[in-house]
């Protein structure tokens, strides 16, 4: 499957649909207090790189890189449409987002994911992410796994 991944604005119908699917998926796994989603307005702020994966006109996946002022960044809103799973789209998105972090001079990239998402956890571990404690504004949560990868 030939997919293109590019920086795009998040406020478009196909992305909003994907974010709704992501929200529903997370809500099916975790209570509200353990979901740490950012909304579309946050995805439009400066210091945010939002990537969209497409096959032709169909939006199949997305992810965001949120830069902090200290040279670190966080991956948010990494999601692949269920119809596109199994095509290694998560790996393609990770390649693009890590490349962007290096281009932007980030030293560490972090993320939070849930314990009931073994495919996501496996993907992050395969890319060299290791578990850490809660970071930033996160509080420790038994349903969350916090990870980071040092880039320099």
């Amino acid at each position: 499957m030939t997919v293109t991944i590019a920086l795009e604005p998040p406020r478009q119908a196909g992305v909003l649909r994907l974010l709704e699917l992501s929200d529903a998926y997370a809500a099916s796994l975790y209570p509200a207090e353990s979901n740490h989603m950012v909304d579309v307005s946050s995805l439009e702020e400066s210091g945010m790189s939002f990537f969209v994966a497409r096959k032709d006109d169909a939006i199949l996946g997305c992810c965001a890189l949120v830069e902090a002022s200290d040279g670190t960044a966080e991956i948010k809103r990494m999601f692949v449409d269920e119809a596109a799973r199994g095509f290694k789209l998560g790996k393609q998105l990770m390649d693009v987002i890590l490349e962007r972090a290096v281009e932007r001079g980030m030293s560490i990239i972090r993320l939070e994911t849930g314990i009931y998402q073994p495919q996501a956890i496996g993907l992050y571990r395969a890319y060299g992410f290791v578990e850490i404690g809660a970071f930033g504004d996160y509080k420790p949560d038994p349903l969350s796994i916090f990870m980071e990868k040092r880039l320099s």
Side-chain angles (χ1 to χ4, degrees):
M1 174 168 54
T2 303
V3 173
T4 59
I5 300 175
L7 286 168
E8 292 191 32
R11 197 176 295 273
Q12 50 182 307
V15 171
L16 295 174
R17 176 191 150 279
L18 202 62
L19 295 177
E20 287 174 6
L21 290 172
S22 172
D23 290 346
Y25 177 68
S28 76
L29 297 174
Y30 308 103
E33 63 272 11
S34 292
N35 280 322
H36 307 287
M37 304 295 195
V38 292
D39 63 16
V40 71
S41 296
S42 298
L43 295 172
E44 296 172 316
E45 293 176 2
S46 65
M48 181 79 63
S49 299
F50 189 78
F51 292 93
V52 175
R54 307 176 166 266
K55 180 181 185 327
D56 304 318
D57 288 334
I59 293 176
L60 303 177
C62 63
C63 63
L65 184 70
V66 184
E67 294 180 33
S69 59
D70 63 356
T72 66
E74 181 180 0
I75 297 173
K76 296 293 285 182
R77 287 302 202 161
M78 176 89 139
F79 190 74
V80 174
D81 191 318
E82 191 172 346
R85 295 199 184 136
F87 294 109
K88 309 287 185 208
L89 196 49
K91 287 184 176 194
Q92 293 177 57
L93 286 164
M94 283 298 296
D95 289 341
V96 168
I97 211 157
L98 290 171
E99 181 179 310
R100 178 72 171 184
V102 170
E103 284 172 5
R104 304 285 295 164
M106 301 292 106
S107 59
I108 298 172
I109 190 166
R110 296 184 175 118
L111 60 90
E112 178 275 337
T113 193
I115 62 170
Y116 302 129
Q117 294 166 268
Q119 295 87 352
I121 296 164
L123 175 69
Y124 302 137
R125 285 188 176 137
Y127 273 82
F129 282 80
V130 296
E131 288 186 37
I132 59 169
F135 63 92
D137 293 333
Y138 292 105
K139 306 282 184 269
D141 183 337
L143 300 179
S144 288
I145 294 175
F146 304 97
M147 304 179 91
E148 78 175 17
K149 176 181 175 76
R150 296 187 177 273
L151 300 176
S152 54

